[in-house]
Each structure stands twice: as C-alpha cells, then as structure tokens.
Amino acid sequence: QVQLVESGGGLVQAGGSLRLSCAGSGRTFSSYAVGWFRQAPGKEREFVAAITRSGIGRSYADSVKGRFTISRDNAKTLVYLQMDSLKSEDTAVYYCKAGLTLDSVRDPSGFSSWGQGTQVTVSS
C-alpha cells in the first residue's frame, strides 16, 4: 500500500491561491488513483477531487468545480491540488488518500485511518 503525506497548506486571503502537494512513497504510486478530501471544524469529512492512475480521468465536488484543479506527476510521485479563487468556506484540513479506482477515492467512509493533513485557512 502506498503511503501519502500532505503539504502546502497555509493562510491566504479570500480570492487567493494555494497549491497543495500529496507525496507518495513506493514504486507502486502510479498504480493508484488519488483523492483529496477536507474536513472543516464541526463538519463531516467531504470529497474534494480525485484523479485516476494515469492522470487522464478527474472528478470534482460541485463546490470546487472551476476553481480547483487536480493533477499528478508519477515520475515525482506527487499529486497536486491547485486551489484558486479561494473562499472562506474552503477553510479546512485537507487530506489525500490512495485507492485502486477513481470511485474508491471519492468516498471518505471507505478509509479507516487518516493522517494529519494540511491546514488551509482562508480569511475573508
């Protein structure tokens, strides 16, 4: 199983941008689809975006469509989440997870453990 570590969070003003990185370990990184999730205080963890093993297929939550872009570089074992036009409601801890299919990385209930994630705070 591939291990993933999130980074790139921070404090940004509304309307600004951030790029999150999800670093994978192991030679099997390109065998997995990867999804981004987020959890705001007092709210359930929710799906944000996902990408297939090849990077061709992508899926987004309606709330971020047109503002966020997911991409990957399998040679560097990295998945990125470019976040533009940020809103205060994007404030959350962001996590990435790996799975065998795009559908498997769209449902947060399919994962039993989560890392520390990376905090994104958008000030209005």
Side-chain angles (χ1 to χ4, degrees), residues 74-113:
N74 285 336
K76 296 182 179 178
T77 65
L78 286 168
V79 171
Y80 303 104
L81 185 67
Q82 177 66 41
M83 305 186 297
D84 299 317
S85 302
L86 282 161
K87 305 175 181 180
S88 58
E89 50 262 45
D90 295 318
T91 295
V93 179
Y94 284 71
Y95 305 87
C96 60
K97 299 295 286 186
L100 295 179
T101 66
L102 194 65
D103 283 342
S104 70
V105 291
R106 294 183 59 185
D107 181 4
S109 67
F111 300 97
S112 58
S113 64

Side-chain angles (χ1 to χ4, degrees), residues 30-122:
S30 62
S31 299
Y32 292 89
V34 174
W36 282 97
F37 303 86
R38 67 186 181 186
Q39 186 169 25
K43 295 188 177 181
E44 293 187 352
R45 190 172 282 117
E46 64 177 1
F47 167 74
V48 176
I51 191 166
T52 56
R53 292 173 289 180
S54 66
I56 294 176
R58 305 177 189 188
S59 178
Y60 296 94
D62 288 342
S63 58
V64 307
K65 204 170 291 184
R67 299 188 299 120
F68 290 12
T69 303
I70 189 171
S71 62
R72 69 188 296 162
D73 185 335
N74 285 336
K76 296 182 179 178
T77 65
L78 286 168
V79 171
Y80 303 104
L81 185 67
Q82 177 66 41
M83 305 186 297
D84 299 317
S85 302
L86 282 161
K87 305 175 181 180
S88 58
E89 50 262 45
D90 295 318
T91 295
V93 179
Y94 284 71
Y95 305 87
C96 60
K97 299 295 286 186
L100 295 179
T101 66
L102 194 65
D103 283 342
S104 70
V105 291
R106 294 183 59 185
D107 181 4
S109 67
F111 300 97
S112 58
S113 64
W114 297 82
Q116 292 187 336
T118 186
Q119 176 71 50
V120 172
T121 303
V122 184

